[in-house]
Amino acid sequence: MLKFYRIISYLLAPFLRLFFYLRCYKGKDRIDDVVNHFGVATIARPSGRLLWVHAASVGESMSALTYIKHILSRHDDLHVLLTTVTVTSADILRSQKIPRCMHQFVVADNPIWVRRFLEYWRPDKAIFLESEIWINILEALRSRNIPTYLLNARLSDRSFARWQIVADSFREILKNFTLILAQSQEDAERFRFFSPHNVEQIDNLKYANEPLACNNELKQKLEHFCKGKKVFVAASTHAGEEEIILAVHKALSAEYPIITILVPRHIDRIPTIIPLMDGINYGLRSKIDQIVDPVDFLLIDSFGELGTIYRLADVVFVGGSMVPIGGHNIYEPAILGKPVLHGIHMENFRDTVKLLRSENMAFEVVSILDIYDKCCEIFQDENIQKRAACLSQRNPLAQIDRHIIIRE
């Protein structure tokens, strides 16, 4: 299989060139940078040590940037080359303007182009994110004795089943990695099925992402209203979900001293939400200094304050998930140590849902009664709260540092 792949990668070179130029026409590549895919650099290589990091998608790129910022802060003589596949991920990096970090689009897996790329960049080490496994690139790195790592490694159900069909070939491919750092126990076991001697498990690199910012002045004001109460936060809600949250609030308020904080996804919908508040003692964020306590419901009519509000919560419901929107980011409250509820429509965050549900940090709910029951369970079960709080203390960067030694 591997010999056949190499032959095909040579023969397909003209078609790959055409493919990448067509991507420029569709806006998926840039004409000024398309030669990167053919191993041609468009920026100069700096002198000194160079770490090559490759992340294909936006999600992988964000994880890569977390690690890159960390490693650059520890090694002031190191430069990093980050390669990506998508224009969006390239734009994210360029907007960050990280000193000593450069971007190029990834070289295609053609032996001639890969050789050209490596002869120019001469990386001291190479790190690939999650499931980026390219046969010719990996073999070229190994032939040059360049230590190569698969970081935050994962094997999906489909990939695991497919690689079992050609298990012997996959074993040969994985030998090219100096070390595979799997993002979960399940992923570690799957990689060890093929390569038992170079696999370790670490916490998912997402656990190292920086939490949303906190406005301490606002937090102190909100704590006044939350004192002595359970705090139920409903964030990024859409039409059809506010009615559900209000029903849950009324049910919970019959059992607990509680305050609900509602943060609609689009604050221009506030005028349509206020009429639903009939019979509820609520206050508006924009008039927080005029609110007469006690209130049991706060309606947030301002932007950019979820980081503050999440820190107050005992439990968080993330909207766009009870209605067919595709969900919103449940990781943001989870990284702050908050148990998270979500509906069935989480198509935009499948990987995050799988990760947090495996940790018993995220819980799917399908009805008003479901949300009520799960809130009651979380309020009463200290183990759920403690387990959630432990998430914010994870330190995958320290674990990675023990395995990937940049200066040897």
Side-chain angles (χ1 to χ4, degrees):
M1 171 196 161
L2 299 185
K3 290 181 179 178
F4 178 73
Y5 179 87
R6 293 186 200 102
I7 293 170
I8 290 296
S9 61
Y10 277 110
L11 296 176
L12 289 180
F15 301 99
L16 276 175
R17 282 185 179 274
L18 177 61
F19 168 76
F20 285 115
Y21 280 110
L22 287 174
R23 279 172 59 90
C24 294
Y25 176 75
K26 296 178 180 179
K28 295 182 178 181
D29 261 307
R30 293 197 177 100
I31 193 67
D32 293 340
D33 300 314
V34 71
V35 292
N36 292 166
H37 298 299
F38 317 136
V40 178
T42 50
I43 55 177
R45 185 204 189 279
S47 60
R49 296 187 303 143
L50 180 75
L51 173 66
W52 174 25
V53 178
H54 173 60
S57 67
V58 172
E60 291 169 9
S61 297
M62 295 305 295
S63 295
L65 288 176
T66 299
Y67 175 68
I68 289 169
K69 291 175 183 177
H70 166 75
I71 207 65
L72 286 174
S73 71
R74 294 169 61 87
H75 299 275
D76 56 13
D77 61 338
L78 180 71
H79 286 80
V80 173
L81 171 68
L82 175 61
T83 58
T84 65
V85 173
T86 66
V87 170
T88 304
S89 53
D91 289 341
I92 290 173
L93 171 67
R94 289 167 179 171
S95 69
Q96 299 261 334
K97 297 180 180 179
I98 303 171
R100 292 182 284 125
C101 182
M102 305 155 290
H103 176 269
Q104 297 275 267
F105 288 98
V106 69
V107 60
D109 200 31
N110 173 282
I112 296 173
W113 301 340
V114 171
R115 183 168 62 249
R116 182 186 296 151
F117 173 88
L118 292 177
E119 286 176 353
Y120 180 84
W121 287 105
R122 306 184 313 280
D124 294 278
K125 284 182 170 64
I127 295 176
F128 296 83
L129 268 291
E130 298 198 7
S131 55
E132 287 298 288
I133 299 173
W134 295 101
I135 295 171
N136 292 322
I137 293 175
L138 291 173
E139 289 192 347
L141 288 165
R142 188 180 186 186
S143 70
R144 288 166 171 78
N145 296 314
I146 298 172
T148 305
Y149 304 87
L150 187 60
L151 178 59
N152 221 35
R154 64 183 176 90
L155 269 182
S156 66
D157 296 343
R158 180 179 296 181
S159 295
F160 183 56
R162 287 178 175 176
W163 282 121
Q164 287 183 73
I165 299 172
V166 288
D168 289 341
S169 295
F170 196 48
R171 290 188 181 99
E172 289 300 313
I173 294 169
L174 295 184
K175 285 180 181 179
N176 293 307
F177 286 108
T178 306
L179 188 63
I180 298 168
L181 296 175
Q183 64 176 243
S184 71
Q185 182 61 40
E186 180 182 41
D187 289 301
E189 290 172 357
R190 288 177 174 179
F191 277 106
R192 287 184 182 126
F193 176 83
F194 302 102
S195 185
H197 304 301
N198 64 340
V199 179
E200 298 289 343
Q201 182 198 348
I202 61 169
D203 286 327
N204 194 300
L205 190 52
K206 287 183 178 180
Y207 292 149
N209 290 347
E210 293 183 4
L212 294 175
C214 179
N215 179 333
N216 288 321
E217 181 181 353
L218 174 62
K219 183 170 179 283
Q220 288 182 347
K221 290 181 179 181
L222 292 175
E223 284 174 338
H224 169 74
F225 300 110
C226 299
K227 187 176 181 179
K229 300 176 182 178
K230 302 295 184 183
V231 182
F232 174 43
V233 171
S236 299
T237 58
H238 290 256
E241 292 180 322
E242 286 87 12
E243 293 89 344
I244 294 171
I245 298 306
L246 287 166
V248 171
H249 168 78
K250 291 176 181 177
L252 289 173
S253 62
E255 300 291 332
Y256 302 93
I258 190 166
I259 185 167
T260 296
I261 305 177
L262 176 65
V263 189
R265 182 69 174 181
H266 305 290
I267 64 171
D268 58 359
R269 294 187 51 252
I270 292 289
T272 68
I273 298 173
I274 289 177
L276 304 175
M277 310 295 292
D278 186 43
I280 294 177
N281 185 19
Y282 76 94
L284 287 172
R285 158 67 179 98
S286 60
K287 299 179 180 179
I288 192 168
D289 293 325
Q290 303 171 28
I291 296 174
V292 178
D293 206 23
V295 293
D296 55 14
F297 204 104
L298 289 173
L299 188 54
I300 307 301
D301 54 350
S302 54
F303 287 115
E305 295 180 330
L306 277 177
T308 305
I309 292 162
Y310 283 154
R311 285 171 168 82
L312 300 169
D314 291 299
V315 59
V316 175
F317 167 81
V318 177
S321 61
M322 297 292 281
V323 292
I325 300 295
H328 294 296
N329 195 338
I330 63 173
Y331 192 76
E332 291 173 344
I335 198 174
L336 289 167
K338 308 302 178 180
V340 184
L341 311 183
H342 62 84
I344 63 173
H345 300 288
M346 288 296 294
E347 295 82 5
N348 297 335
F349 293 89
R350 287 193 180 96
D351 289 345
T352 305
V353 168
K354 183 178 180 181
L355 169 64
L356 294 179
R357 292 185 68 179
S358 71
E359 300 267 11
N360 290 317
M361 278 289 300
F363 308 92
E364 184 177 280
V365 289
V366 298
S367 66
I368 294 169
L369 181 60
D370 256 5
I371 300 174
Y372 168 79
D373 286 343
K374 185 54 68 175
C375 284
C376 291
E377 180 183 350
I378 292 169
F379 291 158
Q380 296 168 11
D381 190 340
E382 291 185 1
N383 289 327
I384 296 178
Q385 304 268 1
K386 289 177 181 178
R387 187 167 60 240
C390 285
L391 181 62
S392 62
Q393 300 170 13
R394 299 282 182 88
N395 191 358
L397 295 174
Q399 298 169 14
I400 296 167
D401 287 342
R402 288 196 291 270
H403 292 293
I404 302 179
I405 309 301
I406 297 299
R407 181 184 287 114
E408 296 179 356

